[in-house]
Amino acid sequence: MLKIVIHWFRQDLRLADNPALYVAAKQAQVLPVYIVDDKNPGIHKMGAASRWWLYRSLLALNHDLNGHLVVQTGDPQSILSELIKHYGVKAVYWNRCYEPWCIKRDKRIKKTLQQQGVAVQSYNGALLWEPHTILKNDGTPYKVFTPFYRRGCLSTEPPRQPLPKPEKLTTVNNNSSIESLRLVSNAAWESSLAAHNQVGEAAALQKLKQFLSNGINHYKEGRDFPARENVSRLSPHLHFGEISPNQVWYAVQARPDDVNRQHFCSELAWREFSYNLLYHFPDLPEKNLQQKFDQFPWQSNKKLLRYWQQGLTGYPIVDAGMRELWQTGTMHNRVRMIVASFLVKNLRIHWHDGAAWFWDCLVDADLANNSASWQWVAGCGADAAPYFRIFNPVTQAKKFDPQGDYIRQYVPELSKLSDRYLHNPWEASDETLKSAGIVLGETYPKPIVDLRTSREAALAAFASLKNVS
């Protein structure tokens, strides 16, 4: 029996279905460790909203560990070495991460620790299928989602069954304090995020339970309507590992088989697809998967970018989405596609700028999902949206927020406008606007770009790539 082993928590901030922790707990006393690593990620250092969530999640995890979680900030290799020496640790356990910088860091740490005589064991606690296991017959990675899911994922071994909490988890008492760790300094923003989010393993399990009771029943259709409660809101919990995809997968599989169950499982698989792309194409966050897009004539316009970021574009559904993002740290997925299309196609601002803003503002900011999804909308990624698919924010709003419940919630200055003009206030008469207390250009902005002309300009820009090899 080993005396003390380390479980290094990363994106697995939970006790149940935690493979590395489950094994570690059987070996010896566990020293649970979390390290805030701002050195190795480089430009992919955690954004502000994610740091807020992380702090709350660590508090919840520390509570579940009887206050024994060691939290430090710095270089993991140095910190682990010091803890190993101090506690006489002979083994370190962790669950694998798949960001390129994580893989590089972890390989280096594993090699160093093993050279020092410390055993290192790593496990899959974050994905249903690991990227190196889902390949085409010729050994190359999939670039199209449907065959990836159907021929790859569903044709191989099913995901492992979730593990229970460790039967006997004895943790090492220590004097670590999380309360002194300050990851965010904007008090007003923190307060707004706190009002809209419950964080931690217990909150994740409760959210899954609520979704299975109500939301999933009309998921396939209802998930496109931002005012309806037909989405799971599990993405930040999955990213930080407060719940595992295996727990979600098998909880959903226990339901009667129908289109809603099937569709939700395919959305879980889209997350897997994103990780598969990042693993096999580590430049995904920076480089276009389709190289011809390196020649795309993007426009640099800080003023228009700022209007988009602040939800002041003059297009209500876009502004509602961007304000939801700032106030809550999240955004409905249908609206994410609308605001992203508006940025990269109507404004022709580089998807890098959109991805960077999402990275800083989303509590579920995830390098794989964020990079793959922005490339999908921009048309330069794997299985990308066709270049001519330019979301019209007015028709999208009329279709998916017909009564304007979502827009009125986040753009209250338009709340008194009738449904007829809510999605396109610039078409209303001055008298109609006045009766609703609106002065375009003063109480609510005029459109910052014309939809028709900007669409034509985007199509012309895409057409210029046809002859690029």
Side-chain angles (χ1 to χ4, degrees):
M1 287 287 288
L2 301 170
K3 196 171 183 181
I4 295 176
V5 299
I6 285 176
H7 172 72
W8 179 15
F9 281 99
R10 295 109 73 80
Q11 292 172 6
D12 58 338
L13 306 181
R14 63 183 184 273
L15 301 187
D17 195 31
N18 188 317
L21 179 65
Y22 187 80
V23 176
K26 289 185 175 183
Q27 307 303 314
Q29 277 190 298
V30 175
L31 180 66
V33 176
Y34 185 90
I35 301 168
V36 180
D37 183 0
D38 286 334
K39 174 187 174 183
N40 290 288
I43 61 173
H44 302 304
K45 185 174 75 172
M46 198 176 296
S50 294
R51 296 170 86 85
W52 173 86
W53 187 287
L54 172 63
Y55 176 69
R56 294 298 185 98
S57 191
L58 291 175
L59 288 176
L61 179 62
N62 187 47
H63 176 270
D64 293 342
L65 291 168
N66 301 313
H68 293 171
L69 179 64
V70 176
V71 178
Q72 295 193 27
T73 300
D75 179 48
Q77 184 165 315
S78 300
I79 291 170
L80 288 172
S81 294
E82 291 174 7
L83 291 171
I84 288 166
K85 183 178 179 180
H86 181 77
Y87 288 95
V89 171
K90 296 299 182 183
V92 178
Y93 296 80
W94 67 63
N95 292 303
R96 290 186 282 274
C97 296
Y98 301 90
E99 292 80 2
W101 65 267
C102 280
I103 294 173
K104 183 179 179 181
R105 176 197 68 183
D106 293 351
K107 284 182 177 179
R108 183 179 69 247
I109 292 175
K110 184 176 184 178
K111 182 179 179 181
T112 301
L113 294 182
Q114 288 176 334
Q115 289 173 343
Q116 297 171 355
V118 179
V120 177
Q121 294 291 334
S122 65
Y123 299 84
N124 171 23
L127 296 175
L128 298 169
W129 298 276
E130 288 194 281
H132 66 271
T133 67
I134 306 297
L135 298 168
K136 291 189 287 187
N137 291 335
D138 62 2
T140 61
Y142 287 95
K143 286 188 177 183
V144 180
F145 171 70
T146 300
F148 165 81
Y149 182 40
R150 293 181 180 172
R151 294 182 208 159
C153 301
L154 295 182
S155 298
T156 190
E157 291 292 318
R160 60 166 180 79
Q161 289 283 343
L163 296 164
K165 291 182 181 180
E167 292 180 10
K168 185 180 180 182
L169 175 60
T170 306
T171 51
V172 179
N173 197 356
N174 58 80
N175 297 318
S176 181
S177 173
I178 297 178
E179 282 71 13
S180 60
L181 182 71
R182 296 299 295 163
L183 295 175
V184 184
S185 57
N186 187 327
W189 191 37
E190 288 185 70
S191 178
S192 180
L193 293 177
H196 292 93
N197 294 285
Q198 283 75 47
V199 182
E201 183 175 9
L205 293 171
Q206 179 61 28
K207 196 169 290 184
L208 174 60
K209 182 179 179 181
Q210 291 173 347
F211 176 63
L212 293 176
S213 297
N214 294 308
I216 198 171
N217 293 328
H218 302 284
Y219 178 78
K220 187 177 189 300
E221 177 193 357
R223 72 188 187 96
D224 281 323
F225 293 79
R228 297 185 190 176
E229 295 297 324
N230 289 117
V231 290
S232 72
R233 302 286 185 183
L234 286 170
S235 54
H237 301 289
L238 284 165
H239 171 72
F240 285 97
E242 296 169 352
I243 194 170
S244 76
N246 303 67
Q247 289 172 294
V248 179
W249 177 269
Y250 282 105
V252 173
Q253 291 292 327
R255 282 178 42 89
D257 188 12
D258 63 7
V259 293
N260 297 301
R261 187 183 96 171
Q262 295 166 14
H263 209 84
F264 183 77
C265 286
S266 73
E267 291 299 318
L268 284 177
W270 179 264
R271 176 178 180 269
E272 301 281 317
F273 183 53
S274 298
Y275 270 88
N276 208 63
L277 291 173
L278 181 63
Y279 180 84
H280 292 290
F281 306 98
D283 290 331
L284 184 72
E286 292 88 32
K287 293 186 179 180
N288 302 310
L289 273 182
Q290 297 185 37
Q291 292 185 359
K292 67 180 182 180
F293 273 82
D294 295 346
Q295 307 301 319
F296 190 83
W298 298 108
Q299 294 191 114
S300 178
N301 193 314
K302 292 182 179 180
K303 185 177 181 181
L304 292 182
L305 176 62
R306 189 165 59 250
Y307 285 144
W308 177 82
Q309 291 170 337
Q310 296 174 347
L312 296 173
T313 67
Y315 291 95
I317 191 71
V318 175
D319 295 339
M322 299 307 294
R323 296 183 196 186
E324 180 191 17
L325 172 62
W326 182 255
Q327 292 172 31
T328 71
T330 189
M331 189 193 304
H332 188 276
N333 190 60
R334 164 61 58 173
V335 185
R336 292 190 195 200
M337 292 190 287
I338 296 170
V339 304
S341 175
F342 185 82
L343 181 76
V344 300
K345 293 180 177 176
N346 294 100
L347 300 183
R348 273 198 293 135
I349 291 175
H350 204 298
W351 63 267
H352 284 174
D353 292 318
W357 186 250
F358 273 28
W359 183 255
D360 203 40
C361 296
L362 281 172
V363 293
D364 65 357
D366 183 284
L367 191 62
N369 290 339
N370 197 44
S371 305
S373 296
W374 273 97
Q375 289 222 35
W376 181 85
V377 173
C380 56
D383 203 7
Y387 73 88
F388 52 81
R389 189 180 187 188
I390 300 175
F391 286 86
N392 183 306
V394 176
T395 56
Q396 288 283 310
K398 287 181 177 180
K399 183 175 182 180
F400 297 114
D401 190 31
Q403 280 76 51
D405 296 331
Y406 177 75
I407 289 174
R408 288 188 172 91
Q409 180 178 356
Y410 291 105
V411 191
E413 61 266 42
L414 298 179
S415 60
K416 295 181 180 178
L417 203 56
S418 68
D419 294 350
R420 180 179 178 184
Y421 294 111
L422 181 65
H423 309 295
N424 47 330
W426 58 90
E427 293 184 3
S429 66
D430 291 342
E431 184 178 344
T432 298
L433 292 171
K434 185 177 180 181
S435 64
I438 300 168
V439 179
L440 287 184
E442 295 182 18
T443 61
Y444 184 72
K446 297 177 180 178
I448 61 173
V449 66
D450 179 75
L451 290 181
R452 182 177 178 180
T453 56
S454 62
R455 172 185 165 81
E456 291 173 351
L459 291 175
F462 281 113
S464 71
L465 301 180
K466 285 185 177 180
N467 297 323
V468 179
S469 58

